Amino acid sequence: MSYKIDLSGGILTFTIDRPHIRNAINDEVIQGLEELVAQVHNHDPQFVIITASGEQAFCSGGDLSVYQHLRTRNEAYPMLKKMGDVLYRIKTLPVPVVALVNGMAVGGGCEIATACDYRLVRSHAKCGFIQGTLAITSGWGGGTYAMETIPHAEALKMLSEARVYTAQELLENGWATKVVESEAGVEAFFQSMKKIRPEVHRAYKEIAIRKWQSSHLKDRVNEEIRLCAELWEADAHHDAVERFLNKKK
Ligand SMILES: CC[C@H](C(=O)O)C(=O)SCCNC(=O)CCNC(=O)[C@H](O)C(C)(C)COP(=O)(O)OP(=O)(O)OC[C@H]1O[C@@H](n2cnc3c(N)ncnc32)[C@H](O)[C@@H]1OP(=O)(O)O
């Protein structure tokens, strides 16, 4: 299985479990995220955590060995939309969603972390919207969420530079909630959050969801997905993916 879902101490944890491929996202992981959303509504946890196996990567984005076969905008759109839809459902879950960024989060991996309410970033982790180096934009909603999460200039810079940022840089631009050296830092975060009753956390999440609904966040995400699909079919994108996949051959 490419993922794990565990419930413990009122926390539902989703772990991407493909460390050999830097926890890249394939269709099975997308289905797992859809299962995560269903389990939140079944088990009523206090918090949701999204993380990944190993220390090297949180997530390296879409699995290029699989998605390289999507050539046209019409072929790419269904994958982008399916992942974009489940990421929106994760963002609008009725409880706080915490990304434990255990390692590199690049491309769609950075989008997943950005969709979460909080980002606890390990000090060695580097994260960035590197889609620009593949001649596309974010395509799962992450660009829209970045504009919601950090100041405009910082978001536009992070998206447009298409590079990885250090944990310290991510703390300075507001993307990282906290840089954690070890599990103790994560534990301290949850001990603090658990001092407040679940119904208060849910009420504040409701306020955020109402803001996103009234500002048509979902429509903005859908436009991002459409634009990414358009750029996807250009030779510049396919050539960049080809270079990555052939880099070691
Ligand atoms: C809308 C979202 C959008 C989309 O879905 O298209 C994207 O996410 S676009 C961005 C797609 N992701 C990338 O371009 C990142 C590609 N990966 C890397 O740049 C590096 O792997 C990095 C920086 C994440 C880690 O580098 P490191 O040197 O630590 O590891 P390797 O590069 O040697 O990778 C180990 C092994 O995993 C394979 N790998 C890594 N990432 C991916 C990926 N996203 N898709 C497929 N395969 C991936 C890599 O090829 C190596 O395989 P091996 O057979 O061992 O050579």
Side-chain angles (χ1 to χ4, degrees):
M1 194 76 111
S2 302
Y3 65 91
K4 296 177 282 192
I5 300 179
D6 303 289
L7 179 62
S8 170
I11 298 178
L12 195 59
T13 301
F14 183 92
T15 305
I16 307 169
D17 193 22
R18 306 184 79 209
H20 62 290
I21 196 168
R22 299 299 181 267
N23 294 312
I25 302 292
N26 62 2
D27 292 347
E28 190 178 32
V29 176
I30 296 176
Q31 284 157 16
L33 291 169
E34 291 172 338
E35 171 60 23
L36 170 68
V37 171
Q39 291 210 17
V40 170
H41 296 297
N42 293 340
H43 297 299
D44 197 22
Q46 189 176 359
F47 299 99
V48 169
I49 289 176
I50 295 178
T51 190
S53 299
E55 295 281 317
Q56 288 182 292
F58 170 78
C59 176
S60 60
D63 184 336
L64 297 172
S65 66
V66 173
Y67 298 140
Q68 65 169 320
H69 302 300
L70 305 174
R71 306 301 293 182
T72 67
R73 69 180 73 184
N74 291 338
E75 289 173 345
Y77 183 80
M79 175 278 285
L80 296 171
K81 186 72 165 65
K82 186 173 174 137
M83 181 63 188
D85 284 350
V86 73
L87 209 46
Y88 180 82
R89 288 164 59 204
I90 287 169
K91 182 164 188 64
T92 54
L93 284 171
V95 296
V97 182
V98 182
L100 291 193
V101 185
N102 56 296
M104 289 198 94
V106 294
C110 195
E111 296 191 58
I112 294 169
T114 306
C116 298
D117 296 300
Y118 300 103
R119 279 158 295 282
L120 307 183
V121 181
R122 292 299 300 272
S123 50
H124 67 274
K126 292 182 178 174
C127 310
F129 296 99
I130 59 159
Q131 291 88 330
T133 64
L134 299 179
I136 56 173
T137 63
S138 52
W140 291 341
T144 302
Y145 300 146
M147 301 277 185
E148 286 287 320
T149 304
I150 61 179
H152 174 77
E154 293 293 354
L156 204 55
K157 183 168 177 284
M158 201 172 166
L159 291 162
S160 307
E161 284 188 345
R163 67 172 175 90
V164 290
Y165 279 51
T166 66
Q168 188 52 40
E169 286 178 299
L170 294 163
L171 191 64
E172 287 162 6
N173 77 359
W175 189 85
T177 307
K178 181 180 180 185
V179 174
V180 290
E181 297 292 339
S182 66
E183 271 309 302
V186 176
E187 197 49 46
F189 174 84
F190 282 103
Q191 274 173 6
S192 164
M193 296 296 270
K194 286 187 170 182
K195 289 174 186 165
I196 303 299
R197 291 191 57 79
E199 57 268 28
V200 175
H201 285 298
R202 281 176 172 269
Y204 281 132
K205 195 63 196 278
E206 263 188 56
I207 293 173
I209 292 166
R210 272 199 295 276
K211 180 189 110 178
W212 294 330
Q213 286 169 338
S214 60
S215 63
H216 308 294
L217 182 67
K218 186 76 171 70
D219 293 342
R220 289 185 276 139
V221 166
N222 286 340
E223 268 312 291
E224 173 183 327
I225 293 170
R226 190 186 59 74
L227 283 170
C228 181
E230 272 182 28
L231 294 170
W232 186 285
E233 66 183 11
D235 289 343
H237 171 234
H238 297 309
D239 294 348
V241 171
E242 190 76 21
R243 280 195 297 275
F244 172 78
L245 292 173
N246 294 334
K247 68 181 182 315
K248 289 182 179 173
K249 284 176 186 165

